[in-house]
Amino acid sequence: EHQDRPFAITPGDGKLFVGTIPDYGMLGGALAVYDQATDTWKQYHHEALVPNQSIMSLAYKDGLLYGSTTVWGGLGVAPTETEAKIFIWDAAQERKVGELPLDGLEIDETPRMISVAFGPDGLLWGVVEGTVFAIDVTTKQIVKQRMIRPSLYNMSKWLPYELEWGPDGLLYTTLARKLYAIDPETLRYKIVYDDIVNLLTIGRDGSIYFAANEHRSKLFRIDPIRA
């Protein structure tokens, strides 16, 4: 249904949630939900989520799906909206039940792309270009934040910023499309790889696997940071 780039994928309670970017020249992504028990798909368009915005990432907890957006749509069309959002979707009721405000986020400009993921501490962590933050979803308050780099928006407008926690307790992220290791307690950080990094995951052995733009055909592996 004119959707593309299903980069946002997460499971929850026997369902698979998929967020998409629209096709060429179009605005507004969609949320597709696969129910394993019934082997059926349902799809919800951007009008029921965040109008004219695409889904960049998804995180699930306690029956609620938290979706973050990018104001950009498919290639060949300019955004009509100016601020990305975090929406809350009730999986059982199959409807949007609210949004998480970023009013207290101290940042250099209005967020236009947001990625989110739940951390081991139960907080909803997020990245807006060069800024990292954490929200208590119960109080809907930002409890941690740090702007590490300015908001340039000069790389991919669709790939989510990765947020992965290693066995060493550190948060590894592609904030600002670089590879950073961040201490989630103090928000102190180290830059691990200072070139364009879009894709990242943590292996079972704790190794960091990533792909760098300068070597598109190679997969990199490095040991976790020991700090």
Side-chain angles (χ1 to χ4, degrees):
E1 298 183 24
H2 304 291
Q3 296 296 313
D4 200 359
R5 295 183 171 93
F7 297 135
I9 304 176
T10 196
D13 288 344
K15 296 180 179 179
L16 187 69
F17 303 93
V18 182
T20 59
I21 311 294
D23 207 345
Y24 186 93
M26 301 182 69
L27 291 171
L31 172 65
V33 182
Y34 173 70
D35 189 321
Q36 185 177 19
T38 60
D39 190 25
T40 57
W41 284 92
K42 290 184 179 180
Q43 185 159 310
Y44 308 91
H45 293 278
H46 62 100
E47 292 90 348
L49 305 164
V50 181
N52 300 318
Q53 298 199 30
S54 308
I55 298 178
M56 196 172 198
S57 70
L58 296 168
Y60 183 87
K61 185 180 181 182
D62 299 332
L64 296 176
L65 181 70
Y66 298 83
S68 67
T69 69
T70 168
V71 300
W72 279 275
L75 283 169
V77 63
T80 58
E81 310 304 312
T82 58
E83 182 176 358
K85 303 287 185 179
I86 302 174
F87 66 88
I88 307 171
W89 179 267
D90 189 303
Q93 297 183 34
E94 300 180 350
R95 65 182 184 89
K96 178 181 172 181
V97 292
E99 294 183 356
L100 288 179
L102 296 181
D103 298 337
L105 188 63
E106 299 173 1
I107 196 169
D108 52 347
E109 64 175 85
T110 302
R112 289 186 279 169
M113 297 189 299
I114 306 171
S115 285
V116 293
F118 277 103
D121 53 10
L123 298 175
L124 184 67
W125 286 80
V127 168
V128 177
E129 185 61 359
T131 298
V132 62
F133 63 92
I135 297 178
D136 184 327
V137 294
T138 302
T139 63
K140 297 186 178 182
Q141 298 296 312
I142 296 174
V143 295
K144 297 181 181 183
Q145 61 175 299
R146 182 168 187 176
M147 189 173 78
I148 296 174
R149 296 177 73 101
S151 301
L152 300 179
Y153 297 108
N154 57 354
M155 298 296 168
S156 173
K157 304 301 190 295
W158 311 293
L159 279 171
Y161 306 101
E162 305 281 6
L163 296 119
E164 298 277 350
W165 280 263
D168 52 12
L170 297 179
L171 167 61
Y172 293 91
T173 177
T174 54
L175 175 145
R177 305 303 182 188
K178 310 290 185 179
L179 177 50
Y180 282 89
I182 300 175
D183 185 325
E185 293 297 325
T186 64
L187 298 187
R188 292 177 56 206
Y189 64 89
K190 291 182 179 180
I191 187 162
V192 181
Y193 193 84
D194 193 12
D195 199 7
I196 301 170
V197 176
N198 285 319
L199 303 175
L200 160 72
T201 193
I202 305 294
R204 293 179 180 177
D205 60 352
S207 297
I208 306 157
Y209 294 87
F210 66 96
N213 269 25
E214 64 174 340
H215 302 286
R216 292 176 182 266
S217 61
K218 295 181 179 180
L219 178 67
F220 287 78
R221 181 186 67 83
I222 59 177
D223 293 331
I225 300 298
R226 304 299 179 187

